[in-house]
Amino acid sequence: MIQRENYVKDKVVVITGASSGFGVLTAERVAQLGGKPVLAAPQRDKLEAIVEKIKAAGGEASYIVTDVRKKDDVFNMIKFAVDTYGRVDVLVNNAGTMPLGFFSEHEKALEKWEECWDVSLKGTLYGICAVYDQMMAQGCGQVINVSSVYANFPLQGAGVYQVAKMGVEYLAESLRSECQGKIKVTTIKPTGFQRTGLPATIVDQMAGTSIVSDLITIGDQFENMPARQDYHDINSITYCDPDPQILADNIVYCIDQPMGISIGNITVRASGDLFAL
């Protein structure tokens, strides 16, 4: 049997979108395992509070204010990590928004759609370019891109978000193909996690119903969510209210691998989410 080691320990892990949701939970878990997370997001006050919390718990962490829509910010993010720790072992391209909406709603949605592409597509591209030379010089590294189950098939009301998440996935696969044996590349595709900040970025809640295979049943789920304990029970097959920590733990699982093993793709679903994709 292969001896199981802690492969997160001492790794320098740069995480975008790290002020909330999957990003902050991933940073906290990396620190708990002895890694060195570098948190990046636009909100200085939130980043400061998270880093203080990690350090108070005995972990190591640092932060840099970063808007991934800005190329110079992203390149400075990687420079900061290298200046602070001497290397970058993992980049987690996590920052994103989810402005689901119909084309008929373009007047109120277009600005948010542009932001979505800037954050997801430009942010991921800038991240890859910023870390590429460093990882190649090191001789190894890992890039993790957070995509979505929405990238699986085109749906009405979700086209702009789907293009963003498909783009994230294709950037990952292109990098993997180019850098085999140098940079490990992983795509994470989460189901809907209601307990993050993403639902707040939706333009029209009805636009999200196209992903659901059974509207009647999903309506019952939302109506009875508070009373149905099985919907919140991770040990139930009807579980449909997943804790964001589950996704963070799967991101960390991909980091927690020996250098010779690369987890290419992971889709994380709730057993009872009723999504068609």
Side-chain angles (χ1 to χ4, degrees):
M1 178 180 291
I2 297 175
Q3 181 72 28
R4 189 70 178 104
E5 298 182 21
N6 176 3
Y7 295 104
V8 178
K9 182 174 171 53
D10 295 327
K11 281 186 177 178
V12 179
V13 182
V14 180
I15 305 165
T16 68
S19 63
S20 63
F22 305 138
V24 62
L25 295 172
T26 300
E28 291 175 346
R29 187 68 86 218
V30 166
Q32 288 169 4
L33 291 170
K36 301 172 183 176
V38 177
L39 290 76
Q43 303 90 348
R44 181 184 299 275
D45 56 339
K46 291 184 178 180
L47 293 174
E48 286 180 345
I50 297 162
V51 168
E52 288 177 5
K53 178 183 175 184
I54 289 172
K55 289 183 175 180
E60 170 63 30
S62 59
Y63 76 88
I64 179 169
V65 176
T66 306
D67 183 343
V68 297
R69 297 173 297 180
K70 299 177 180 178
K71 179 183 65 177
D72 288 347
D73 272 23
V74 178
F75 275 75
N76 285 335
M77 173 187 75
I78 298 301
K79 183 178 184 301
F80 169 78
V82 174
D83 288 346
T84 303
Y85 297 112
R87 60 184 294 112
V88 176
D89 296 293
V90 184
L91 169 64
V92 182
N93 286 311
N94 167 70
T97 65
M98 189 171 67
L100 303 178
F102 299 101
F103 291 114
S104 59
E105 301 171 303
H106 59 85
E107 288 189 2
K108 65 178 181 179
L110 189 54
E111 186 174 332
K112 294 182 179 180
W113 288 342
E114 290 175 332
E115 180 185 16
C116 176
W117 282 4
D118 284 346
V119 171
S120 291
L121 293 175
K122 285 186 178 179
T124 298
L125 175 61
Y126 292 158
I128 289 171
C129 292
V131 83
Y132 182 90
D133 290 346
Q134 177 64 34
M135 288 186 174
M136 294 299 282
Q138 293 169 182
C140 62
Q142 182 177 20
V143 173
I144 298 176
N145 287 353
V146 179
S147 179
S148 170
V149 293
Y150 269 98
N152 291 348
F153 192 82
L155 296 169
Q156 61 171 315
V160 173
Y161 180 61
Q162 291 182 298
V163 167
K165 290 307 183 181
M166 286 178 65
V168 164
E169 185 174 2
Y170 273 65
L171 286 170
E173 284 302 302
S174 180
L175 178 65
R176 181 198 62 78
S177 178
E178 180 178 334
C179 297
Q180 285 174 306
K182 288 284 188 178
I183 299 176
K184 303 197 297 184
V185 183
T186 302
T187 298
I188 307 283
K189 301 176 79 170
T191 187
F193 283 79
Q194 297 300 314
R195 290 185 260 167
T196 68
L198 274 180
T201 66
I202 293 175
V203 175
D204 186 341
Q205 295 293 334
M206 288 303 297
T209 60
S210 59
I211 198 174
V212 179
S213 61
D214 186 339
L215 282 172
I216 295 176
T217 305
I218 197 72
D220 176 76
Q221 277 187 347
F222 279 107
E223 182 179 350
N224 295 293
M225 186 71 73
R228 287 283 298 269
Q229 293 301 313
D230 57 320
Y231 288 167
H232 309 280
D233 181 1
I234 197 171
N235 293 307
S236 169
I237 193 65
T238 56
Y239 186 58
C240 57
D241 182 29
D243 187 329
Q245 186 65 61
I246 297 165
L247 197 280
D249 287 345
N250 276 274
I251 293 174
V252 174
Y253 167 76
C254 295
I255 299 171
D256 190 19
Q257 300 295 325
M259 191 54 64
I261 300 299
S262 178
I263 306 297
N265 297 275
I266 286 186
T267 298
V268 183
R269 303 181 185 275
S271 300
D273 68 15
L274 300 177
F275 287 178
L277 301 185

